[in-house]
């Protein structure tokens, strides 16, 4: 069977810039492949190549076995695209936007109307359906854009940074939709700057830097490469360091490292989640160790990058706050 | 790439042509909706030609009228010129509209869809043509208020309007290419002004070209602007029609033959 998405040695140059520099990628049908990389890594460029918007200079790429250059027309029948910047017609209402694209997807009048209403409902846009899209919030625009790309229930969906710049609620809505689509059998290629997002949604993650894939695996595998979550402890008294190390060692936190300050202690966590912070707090309290701050820090894209390339990313890549566990510093008073 | 296709049938060339027309109509409808939703823009695009009619007929009427053949009023001479002049100035709006769509990503979405490759461009130029019809109708109404009359009957008058619209349509395709190449609304607009301004003034839009120095008269005599103005003018007021009309149709065919394929080619290969 053909892979849903296959990219082999694709090169794309823009003047002196090699936006894609021999990129290889394979996505299995019915799964989510996450492309993780900082700004300028080439994520948008590869999405545009796969969506037939851009011809590669070298290499080949195919979608469901169809070549994106020589069989572009056939590829377009199978794909949905939600680009990095919502392609929403601001002067039209949400409903008019969807109707227009439904017509251009060559859906018949009745079929189009039914599908448009269904999508407006699913994306929580019914109330705003007859307002011009320029009055929509960022999250609503994103949802309308995503709805536009789903009119024909494509088998392959490209999502280019679908949650960048969104508030947590909108982000969670988008995440929920992506999970539903995957349950229905859609293959999704998702780009993101957030390891957390890739981790949440993607079955496999490819880390992209300077137009190449520099690492690939499941979210856990990638995090293992950078050492997984770490417990950060700030001791009230640097003299209690050894007692703290012993107490934490009983929880399975082996290999403590000193932090930037003498009172700081950084220990790899055997598992992440809020429970870890509570367990560590309890263990330290039992051992009578005074703690002024305690938190769990999961690896960020920066850590993955530092580990993989030895370079810091240019951008501060902190994920948007979410409904999930607090990102860091679940401060536990001693 | 494509296997030879049958003419009829579900996937035949005729069915494909039908879909293409429908795509073009949908995009045209969407663009027309934009005009209606931005009445202030429509207002500005009509105020300027109306102002020109009033200013030129009252300010220059006396001076230029003296150079016209006896019995020809300047306002009658002027109106067909202003129709063409305003079409020429408006044509750069095609590039502006296209550039805006390109910047907003709407065109990206359309290019990723299995729809006609020509629809975005045809939809843009056709909507601009419809807008021109609206503006020209308004200008004729204002013209009638200040004394302009078609003297050659309804058919000839309709012919004059068609010439004006076709002229604008031909220029629109030049600006389609400009919009695709510059993909910035401001750049497209300034490029338009630089090219259009001299062409419009070095023509029979405002004055009979016989009043110009001979080198300029030579240039103005073969200019598409003069050909269009003289055709529209002859159809409005009488006079020799076939010579300017043939020259105009030649220019139009040439413009479309060059700029439609170039634009479509550029659109297909856009990055
Ligand atoms: N149309 C273009 N013209 C010139 N350079 C471009 C163009 N598109 C992308 N690039 C360059 O290619 C590189 C990859 O860009 P992009 O694919 O947008 O990265 P990402 O989406 O990962 O942020 C960047 O250095 C960017 O500046
Ligand atoms: Mg990008």
């Amino acid at each position: 069977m053909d892979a849903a998405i296959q990219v082999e040695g694709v090169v794309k140059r823009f003047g002196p810039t090699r936006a894609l520099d021999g990129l290889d990628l394979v996505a299995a049908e019915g799964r989510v492949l996450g492309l993780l990389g900082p700004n300028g890594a080439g994520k948008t460029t590869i999405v545009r190549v796969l969506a037939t918007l851009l011809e590669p200079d070298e290499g080949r790429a195919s979608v469901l076995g169809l070549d994106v250059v020589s069989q572009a027309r056939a590829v377009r029948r199978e794909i949905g695209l939600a680009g990095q910047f919502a392609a929403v017609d601001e002067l039209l209402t949400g409903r008019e936007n969807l109707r227009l694209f439904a017509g251009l997807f060559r859906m018949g009048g009745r079929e189009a109307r039914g599908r448009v209403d269904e999508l407006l409902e699913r994306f929580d846009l019914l109330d705003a359906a007859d307002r011009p899209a320029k009055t929509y919030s960022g999250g609503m625009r994103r949802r309308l854009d995503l709805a536009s790309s789903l009119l024909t229930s494509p088998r392959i969906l490209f999502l280019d940074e679908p949650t960048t710049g969104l508030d947590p609620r909108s982000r969670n809505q988008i995440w929920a939709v992506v999970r539903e689509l995957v349950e229905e059998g859609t293959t999704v290629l998702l780009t993101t700057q957030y390891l957390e997002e890739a981790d949440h949604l993607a079955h496999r993650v490819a880390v992209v830097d300077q137009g190449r894939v520099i690492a690939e695996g499941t979210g856990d595998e990638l995090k293992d490469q950078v050492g997984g979550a770490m417990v950060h402890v700030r001791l009230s008294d640097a003299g209690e360091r050894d007692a703290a190390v012993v107490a934490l060692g009983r929880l399975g936190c082996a290999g403590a490292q000193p932090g930037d300050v003498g009172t700081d202690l950084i220990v790899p966590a055997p598992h992440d989640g809020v429970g870890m912070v509570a367990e560590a707090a309890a263990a330290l309290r039992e051992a009578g160790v005074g703690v002024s701050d305690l938190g769990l820090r999961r690896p960020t894209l920066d850590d993955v990058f530092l580990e993989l390339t030895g370079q810091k990313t240019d951008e501060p890549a902190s994920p948007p706050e979410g409904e999930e566990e607090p990102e860091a510093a679940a401060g536990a008073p001693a | 790439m494509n296997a030879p296709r049958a003419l009829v049938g579900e996937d035949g060339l005729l069915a494909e042509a039908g879909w293409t027309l429908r795509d073009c109509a949908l995009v045209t409808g969407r663009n027309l909706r934009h005009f209606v939703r931005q009445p202030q823009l429509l207002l500005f695009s009509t105020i300027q030609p109306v102002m020109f009619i009033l200013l030129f007929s009252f300010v220059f009427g006396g001076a230029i009228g003296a150079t016209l053949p006896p019995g020809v009023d300047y306002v009658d001479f002027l109106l067909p010129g202003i129709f063409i002049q305003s079409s020429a100035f408006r044509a750069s709006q095609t590039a502006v509209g296209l550039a805006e769509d390109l910047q907003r990503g709407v065109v990206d979405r359309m290019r990723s869809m299995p729809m006609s490759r020509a629809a975005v461009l045809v939809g843009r130029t056709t909507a601009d043509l419809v807008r021109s019809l609206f503006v020209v109708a308004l200008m004729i109404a204002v013209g009638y208020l200040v004394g302009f009359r078609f003297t050659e009957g309804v058919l000839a008058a309709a012919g004059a309007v068609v010439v004006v619209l076709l002229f604008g349509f031909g220029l629109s395709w030049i600006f389609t290419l400009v919009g695709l190449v510059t993909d910035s609304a401001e750049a497209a607009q300034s490029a338009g002004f630089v090219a259009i301004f001299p062409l419009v003034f070095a023509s029979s839009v405002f004055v009979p070209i016989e009043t110009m120095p001979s080198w300029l008269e030579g240039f103005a005599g073969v200019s598409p602007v003069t050909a269009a103005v003289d055709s529209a003018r002859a159809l409005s007021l009488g006079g020799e029609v076939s010579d300017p009309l043939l020259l105009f149709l030649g220019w139009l065919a040439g413009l479309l033959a060059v700029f439609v394929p170039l634009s479509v080619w550029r659109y297909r290969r856009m990055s």
Side-chain angles (χ1 to χ4, degrees):
Chain A
M1 199 198 75
D2 288 315
I5 297 170
Q6 188 140 21
V7 177
E8 286 165 38
V10 164
V11 173
K12 182 71 201 178
R13 286 177 285 263
F14 293 109
T17 315
R18 288 170 84 87
L20 298 178
D21 193 11
L23 189 106
D24 298 301
L25 210 58
V26 181
E29 186 148 15
R31 319 230 96 197
V32 181
L33 174 65
L35 278 190
L36 177 67
N39 246 341
K43 304 181 297 295
T44 298
T45 305
I46 188 60
V47 166
R48 290 173 66 79
V49 166
L50 287 167
T52 77
L53 299 179
L54 202 59
E55 284 187 17
D57 295 326
E58 288 169 37
R60 54 185 303 277
S62 63
V63 172
L64 295 170
L66 301 162
D67 188 89
V68 296
V69 178
S70 63
Q71 295 170 293
R73 233 184 131 79
V75 169
R76 291 185 196 119
R77 284 186 226 282
E78 306 290 350
I79 61 171
L81 168 67
Q84 182 166 1
F85 304 100
V88 161
D89 191 322
E90 303 207 320
L91 292 174
L92 302 186
T93 67
R95 192 189 304 278
E96 285 169 340
N97 262 283
L98 291 173
R99 288 258 176 94
L100 170 68
F101 291 120
L104 293 173
F105 273 122
R106 301 177 174 182
M107 296 165 83
R110 178 171 308 169
E111 183 197 3
R113 271 194 297 278
R115 183 75 179 140
V116 166
D117 286 342
E118 184 188 322
L119 285 167
L120 285 170
E121 165 121 51
R122 177 172 186 178
F123 285 89
D124 201 9
L125 290 169
L126 265 182
D127 290 340
D130 297 308
R131 257 171 35 205
K134 67 172 171 224
T135 66
Y136 287 15
S137 68
M140 290 163 81
R141 274 169 215 235
R142 277 273 163 194
R143 299 205 302 274
L144 179 59
D145 190 43
L146 188 50
S148 308
S149 67
L150 294 176
L151 280 158
T152 51
S153 309
R155 283 171 70 191
I156 311 280
L157 182 63
F158 300 115
L159 299 177
D160 195 4
E161 301 200 22
T163 63
T164 301
L166 291 192
D167 59 277
R169 185 166 160 266
S170 304
R171 185 200 65 173
N172 291 336
Q173 280 175 322
I174 302 256
W175 282 9
V177 169
V178 173
R179 286 200 204 93
E180 276 169 41
L181 289 168
V182 174
E183 269 166 37
E184 293 161 18
T186 312
T187 307
V188 178
L189 178 74
L190 166 119
T191 80
T192 179
Q193 299 194 35
Y194 309 130
L195 180 60
E196 190 193 355
E197 178 162 82
D199 199 19
H200 242 87
L201 292 176
H203 298 102
R204 287 190 76 75
V205 179
V207 182
V208 185
D209 184 39
Q210 298 181 11
R212 277 179 220 244
V213 174
I214 54 171
E216 211 191 328
T218 63
D220 284 341
E221 284 166 0
L222 287 175
K223 277 192 275 185
D224 287 349
Q225 284 195 32
V226 290
M230 307 293 263
V231 178
H232 286 230
V233 185
R234 176 157 293 172
L235 301 166
S236 312
D237 175 1
E240 291 177 341
R241 166 183 291 280
D242 290 342
V245 169
V246 171
L248 291 171
R250 277 199 291 271
L251 292 175
C253 304
Q257 304 154 18
D260 299 339
V261 196
T263 53
D264 281 8
L265 195 60
I266 300 172
V267 212
H271 60 90
D272 56 14
V274 203
M276 188 65 231
V277 178
E279 283 172 39
L284 292 168
R285 197 181 306 120
E286 229 164 75
V289 176
V291 171
S292 67
D293 198 7
L294 174 66
L296 185 71
R297 190 166 162 274
R298 273 168 295 141
T300 64
L301 178 57
D302 277 327
D303 300 322
V304 175
F305 256 81
L306 200 58
E307 182 69 21
L308 291 171
T309 67
Q311 290 171 357
K312 284 247 186 231
T313 55
D314 304 337
E315 301 279 308
S318 66
E321 295 292 319
E323 100 242 83
E324 267 75 28
E325 311 90 353
E327 178 54 23
Chain B
M1 186 162 95
N2 286 330
R5 299 230 309 248
L7 190 61
V8 290
E10 201 176 310
D11 205 25
L13 291 174
L14 274 182
E16 187 55 40
W19 284 121
T20 300
L21 279 180
R22 186 166 173 261
D23 289 348
C24 294
L26 281 167
V27 178
T28 304
R30 173 252 181 190
N31 292 336
L32 288 176
R33 232 171 234 181
H34 278 200
F35 296 150
V36 177
R37 303 265 156 97
Q38 296 171 295
Q40 69 282 13
L41 291 189
L42 209 53
L43 191 70
F44 284 129
S45 65
T46 53
I47 281 180
Q48 191 251 21
V50 166
M51 221 165 63
F52 266 49
I53 294 175
L54 299 176
L55 283 178
F56 273 81
S57 60
F58 292 126
V59 176
F60 296 125
I64 302 173
T67 70
L68 295 176
V72 178
D73 275 344
Y74 185 57
V75 70
D76 289 327
F77 177 87
L78 176 70
L79 255 266
I82 300 270
F83 293 162
I84 294 295
Q85 171 269 330
S86 70
S87 290
F89 281 18
R90 212 165 34 248
S92 65
Q93 288 302 311
T94 300
V96 173
L98 205 54
E100 281 174 2
D101 280 349
L102 292 174
Q103 282 164 352
R104 290 196 186 127
V106 172
V107 171
D108 268 359
R109 169 169 301 290
M110 292 186 180
R111 286 176 68 236
S112 76
M113 290 168 55
M115 58 181 276
S116 154
R117 302 272 89 186
V120 168
L121 309 184
V122 174
R124 167 57 54 195
T125 51
T126 310
D128 289 347
L129 179 85
V130 173
R131 176 173 58 174
S132 277
L133 178 62
F134 173 83
V135 176
V136 169
L138 200 103
M139 287 165 66
I140 292 174
V142 173
Y144 263 71
L145 290 180
V146 295
F148 168 78
R149 295 293 179 269
F150 286 110
T151 60
E152 306 302 295
V154 175
L155 265 183
V161 171
V162 169
V163 165
V164 173
L165 295 182
L166 284 178
F167 172 78
F169 187 70
L171 285 192
S172 263
W173 279 99
I174 302 183
F175 283 101
T176 299
L177 188 64
V178 171
L180 289 173
V181 171
T182 58
D183 80 6
S184 132
E186 290 80 22
Q189 191 137 34
S190 7
F193 240 68
V194 169
I196 292 297
F197 223 77
L199 268 178
V200 163
F201 278 88
S203 78
S204 60
V205 162
F206 300 112
V207 296
I209 60 172
E210 297 77 41
T211 60
M212 298 175 181
S214 63
W215 59 270
L216 190 57
E217 184 188 342
F219 171 83
V222 295
S223 150
V225 181
T226 300
V229 174
D230 289 355
S231 307
R233 197 167 272 152
L235 288 163
S236 308
L237 313 174
E240 164 64 29
V241 178
S242 54
D243 275 359
L245 194 58
L246 274 178
L247 182 59
F248 167 66
L249 291 176
W251 268 112
L252 181 67
L255 278 183
L256 293 178
V258 171
F259 285 96
V260 175
L262 265 183
S263 300
V264 174
W265 173 81
R266 172 72 200 179
Y267 177 74
R268 280 171 189 269
R269 308 210 16 128
M270 243 171 21
S271 53

